[in-house]
Amino acid sequence: MMGPGLLAMPTLHAGIPSAVRLREPNSLVAPLAIALLQANQITAAMLKSRPNAPLVKVFAEPDERALAVAALSTWWTSIQYCSKFFSWGLHVQQLPEDGYHRHLDESTIWFCMTRNTDIQMPRFALEPRITALEQHLAGFGQTVLAVLFDATMYLPNALDPWRAVSAAQWMHWHDCQTDEELLEDQREERGYETIQQVIDDGDILTRAEFYGDMPRWVTSPARVVSRGEIVAAASNSFQHDVIAACDAISALVNSPEFTIRPHEVGAHNYPADSVDGCMVLLWRDNDQISRVLDDELNMHGEAGDYTEFIDIHGMVPSGAAIKKYQSRTRQVMQLAQLTERLLELIGEPI
């Protein structure tokens, strides 16, 4: 006669949706399933046997991979919202350990976010509406842009002015502090007699050219006016809506429950460069920001050692690690929803 323990081994319920891709080798699926169980993510409902299931199924060992996918999919679905611009998926897998990746822990599982490529990447020009705010009150536009800049620090990789200026610093300006220093450096390196010969080459991007159509504060925005000054100056529904959107973001990131830090989000946690992003933010369509971003992505693509993930988080599976990742990612989603509202107001779709 079968013992009572064996009767408690049902199969995965067929109705559980699968919204997550699990690409782990079999050796790591069991530790992941155990960690999910410890984190209370594998529930009784997932272990319920189907009505009229054959006894061979009822008494079978549960499929650890199916349980892990069901648990992750159920959780992933629970933190989604009715998004307007962002559409992301989750892949759970090992990442390559060849070459300079060999130092990675073999027991590490990587939770990787991807952009849904069935939907066009959201692209926005910031100049029209930020300038309108700036013209209404000097510093209004820059202060709003500073709020957006802060929000992007807690979101998956974005292709934006702040990434572009960082790339330009090492790709085009070679850490030179001024255009004069850059041109002289390139004259010596290329063996030219005059600076004009360097300029005539046409492949030098100076700071003057990069900032030709935008204020310098775009790449380093600061809160230069107070909320009180902005509220007092606001005179229409658009401006009041922008203030409300900024207030919502500030309230979230400054709340005690918001515990993530910028270094915990993005694809930089893995030693390969990402060539994708959750959105594109330009000052104007086809501007110098776009040029620099294209240069950087092309360079990574030609090098061949890159990833298309927009967020990468590694962990050695445990209940505590699963809970920490889920808390962090839930906060990312909350911020993404609020950021969408601000982008809807200040971004011109392109």
Side-chain angles (χ1 to χ4, degrees):
M1 183 175 181
M2 295 181 181
L6 188 58
L7 292 175
M9 285 287 191
T11 57
L12 179 68
H13 193 283
I16 297 295
S18 176
V20 174
R21 294 189 180 183
L22 179 60
R23 297 178 174 175
E24 282 306 302
N26 291 333
S27 61
L28 290 182
V29 170
L32 175 60
I34 292 171
L36 289 166
L37 185 63
Q38 293 170 338
N40 299 318
Q41 295 303 303
I42 294 179
T43 65
M46 296 175 188
L47 296 170
K48 184 181 296 184
S49 59
R50 294 189 299 274
N52 302 319
L55 285 178
V56 67
K57 294 289 186 180
V58 173
F59 297 144
E61 290 282 341
D63 185 330
E64 292 164 338
R65 180 178 295 272
L67 282 173
V69 170
L72 289 169
S73 296
T74 301
W75 162 72
W76 183 254
T77 302
S78 74
I79 64 171
Q80 301 306 304
Y81 62 95
C82 187
S83 62
K84 297 179 180 178
F85 307 125
F86 300 141
S87 179
W88 306 330
L90 180 66
H91 293 238
V92 182
Q93 62 188 79
Q94 275 191 314
L95 291 178
E97 297 175 7
D98 56 312
Y100 63 81
H101 302 154
R102 194 174 299 279
H103 67 282
L104 298 176
D105 191 326
E106 291 184 358
S107 63
T108 297
I109 294 179
W110 297 86
F111 286 64
C112 308
M113 275 194 211
T114 58
R115 178 179 58 85
N116 183 354
T117 55
D118 293 336
I119 300 174
Q120 188 173 15
M121 184 190 300
R123 296 169 55 92
F124 301 96
L126 299 172
E127 187 269 341
R129 300 177 190 178
I130 290 294
T131 299
L133 295 173
E134 194 70 13
Q135 289 173 343
H136 182 76
L137 172 67
F140 191 173
Q142 181 180 176
T143 299
V144 170
L145 195 60
V147 174
L148 177 60
F149 167 72
D150 287 349
T152 63
M153 296 296 100
Y154 300 96
L155 294 175
N157 279 26
L159 305 174
D160 54 37
W162 311 296
R163 175 168 174 169
V165 72
S166 177
Q169 184 65 46
W170 62 271
M171 287 182 62
H172 293 281
W173 303 333
H174 309 289
D175 292 323
C176 294
Q177 299 305 306
T178 66
D179 285 347
E180 292 75 18
E181 182 184 355
L182 171 64
L183 292 170
E184 178 59 25
D185 175 77
Q186 291 300 297
R187 184 194 68 76
E188 293 180 358
E189 183 174 314
R190 300 178 186 210
Y192 290 138
E193 295 183 359
T194 67
I195 294 296
Q196 188 60 47
Q197 289 176 298
V198 178
I199 297 173
D200 290 343
D201 247 3
D203 63 346
I204 300 294
L205 176 65
T206 63
R207 284 180 173 80
E209 186 177 0
F210 182 77
Y211 288 107
D213 295 323
M214 67 179 176
R216 293 212 170 204
W217 51 255
V218 170
T219 59
S220 56
R223 290 169 169 79
V224 293
V225 290
S226 69
R227 182 183 183 281
E229 291 173 303
I230 290 175
V231 171
S235 60
N236 58 44
S237 60
F238 165 65
Q239 293 162 6
H240 284 291
D241 287 345
V242 169
I243 293 170
C246 290
D247 284 347
I249 290 174
S250 296
L252 176 65
V253 300
N254 290 309
S255 68
E257 293 78 20
F258 195 82
T259 58
I260 57 176
R261 297 294 178 263
H263 70 272
E264 296 175 338
V265 186
H268 56 270
N269 293 308
Y270 180 72
D273 295 294
S274 173
V275 295
D276 205 351
C278 66
M279 60 182 166
V280 177
L281 301 177
L282 306 176
W283 187 241
R284 296 177 178 175
D285 194 13
N286 294 317
D287 61 4
Q288 293 300 325
I289 293 171
S290 177
R291 170 187 170 180
V292 172
L293 291 172
D294 283 345
D295 289 345
E296 184 197 7
L297 297 180
N298 286 335
M299 184 197 68
H300 294 323
E302 291 173 0
D305 191 20
Y306 62 86
T307 177
E308 295 181 351
F309 299 126
I310 59 176
D311 178 68
I312 303 176
H313 182 88
M315 73 169 74
V316 176
S318 71
I322 291 289
K323 287 182 177 180
K324 183 177 180 180
Y325 175 74
Q326 290 181 328
S327 173
R328 164 259 200 207
T329 306
R330 175 181 54 79
Q331 294 171 62
V332 169
M333 290 297 184
Q334 291 172 333
L335 181 58
Q337 185 173 12
L338 298 180
T339 303
E340 281 196 343
R341 174 55 180 157
L342 181 59
L343 287 171
E344 189 177 25
L345 293 165
I346 66 171
E348 191 79 39
I350 53 177

